[in-house]
């Protein structure tokens, strides 16, 4: 059974770069056609998509964060990572990693999948 | 301000039926992009509840159903149970933003 697990420092100072890892277990990150994504949730607020990476390495990012975000994949370690630069208090959130199938089959059609497997999340606080 | 609009809260008594709406625009739901729904129990990660408008992943009870029409989508929960008390989020793709977008979330209270 595929599982995702986030890891990170917990606390980052303003203006520094946030670095988080997502470790995939129970299956290979290169097996099948999947996007691997990051989603965050500020305390008491809703979900925000940050960006995704395909197992081939191609990426797409939220326009609102694009200038500060880098997502990369390390297939040898079965991990993908998130770097977010120049962080501020507004970046304080629970960060989730999740898998999204490139396509799924529905009756009489195929369509892009939803985020079907999520990690438990890791809290990241930006504070001096 | 979320791109997809959900009511902040809904409530219902055990056994009742409730619906949660998700209103978008011509650049997301109205453009034909599918809507997905997630359930987030207190203190836990979101869980996929409905994908591609009306499809249930394995293990999701058939008390949960989804529909889509025009620029809106809805999640219906029948036979409400105490364990359904959670936050619910809709999600779609927005072509103007070139981004996956979520609704602001709806808190379901079981009375």
């Amino acid at each position: 059974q595929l599982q995702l697990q986030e890891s990170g420092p917990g606390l980052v100072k303003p203006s520094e770069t946030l670095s988080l890892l997502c470790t995939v277990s129970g299956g290979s990150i290169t097996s099948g056609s999947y996007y691997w994504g990051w989603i965050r949730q500020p305390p008491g607020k809703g979900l925000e998509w940050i960006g995704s990476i395909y197992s081939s390495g191609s990426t797409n990012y939220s326009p609102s964060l694009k200038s500060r975000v880098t997502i990369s994949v390390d297939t040898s370690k079965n991990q993908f990572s998130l770097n977010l630069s120049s962080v501020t208090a507004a970046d304080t959130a629970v960060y989730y990693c999740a898998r999204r199938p490139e396509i799924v089959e529905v009756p009489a059609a195929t369509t892009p999948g939803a985020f079907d497997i999520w990690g438990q999340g890791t809290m990241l606080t930006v504070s001096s | 301000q979320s791109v997809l609009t959900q009511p902040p809260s809904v409530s219902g008594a055990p056994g009742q039926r409730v619906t949660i709406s998700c209103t978008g625009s011509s650049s997301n739901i109205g453009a034909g992009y599918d809507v997905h729904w997630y359930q987030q129990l207190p203190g836990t990660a979101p869980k996929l509840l409905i994908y591609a408008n009306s499809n249930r992943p394995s293990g999701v009870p058939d008390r949960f159903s989804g529909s889509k029409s025009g620029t809106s989508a809805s999640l219906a929960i029948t036979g409400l149970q105490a364990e359904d008390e959670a936050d619910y989020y809709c999600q779609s793709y927005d072509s103007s933003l070139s981004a996956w977008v979520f609704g602001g979330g709806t808190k379901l209270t079981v009375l």
Side-chain angles (χ1 to χ4, degrees), chain B residues 19-62:
Chain B
T19 61
I20 298 172
S21 62
C22 175
T23 303
S25 67
S26 59
S27 62
N28 41 68
I29 300 174
Y33 293 104
D34 288 333
V35 178
H36 314 298
W37 290 92
Y38 301 87
Q39 177 193 58
Q40 186 175 33
L41 297 170
T44 69
K47 167 194 168 186
L48 180 62
L49 199 62
I50 297 287
Y51 66 96
N53 308 318
S54 58
N55 298 274
R56 283 186 308 276
S58 174
V60 173
D62 59 6

Side-chain angles (χ1 to χ4, degrees), chain B residues 6-96:
Chain B
Q6 298 180 235
S9 63
V10 298
S11 62
Q16 284 190 333
R17 178 181 187 269
V18 297
T19 61
I20 298 172
S21 62
C22 175
T23 303
S25 67
S26 59
S27 62
N28 41 68
I29 300 174
Y33 293 104
D34 288 333
V35 178
H36 314 298
W37 290 92
Y38 301 87
Q39 177 193 58
Q40 186 175 33
L41 297 170
T44 69
K47 167 194 168 186
L48 180 62
L49 199 62
I50 297 287
Y51 66 96
N53 308 318
S54 58
N55 298 274
R56 283 186 308 276
S58 174
V60 173
D62 59 6
R63 301 186 297 105
F64 296 91
S65 63
S67 62
K68 173 189 156 183
S69 178
T71 58
S72 296
S74 289
L75 172 70
I77 310 171
T78 58
L80 207 56
Q81 300 179 4
E83 66 202 52
D84 299 332
E85 193 160 284
D87 293 323
Y88 293 83
Y89 293 90
C90 62
Q91 181 221 338
S92 187
Y93 184 80
D94 191 284
S95 57
S96 294

Side-chain angles (χ1 to χ4, degrees), chain A residues 104-118:
Chain A
V104 293
E105 291 189 4
V106 295
T110 59
T111 188
F115 291 104
D116 62 351
I117 300 176
W118 295 63

Side-chain angles (χ1 to χ4, degrees), chain A residues 35-83:
Chain A
Y35 286 90
W36 305 90
W38 289 96
I39 297 110
R40 69 181 182 179
Q41 184 172 35
K45 296 188 178 180
L47 302 168
E48 178 185 21
W49 174 72
I50 300 169
S52 300
I53 188 166
Y54 198 62
S55 52
S56 65
S58 65
T59 55
N60 47 88
Y61 301 133
S62 167
S64 64
L65 297 169
K66 188 174 184 177
S67 64
R68 298 195 291 130
V69 172
T70 303
I71 297 176
S72 57
V73 63
D74 187 336
T75 56
S76 67
K77 295 182 179 179
N78 229 31
Q79 295 174 330
F80 63 104
S81 63
L82 168 69
N83 278 5

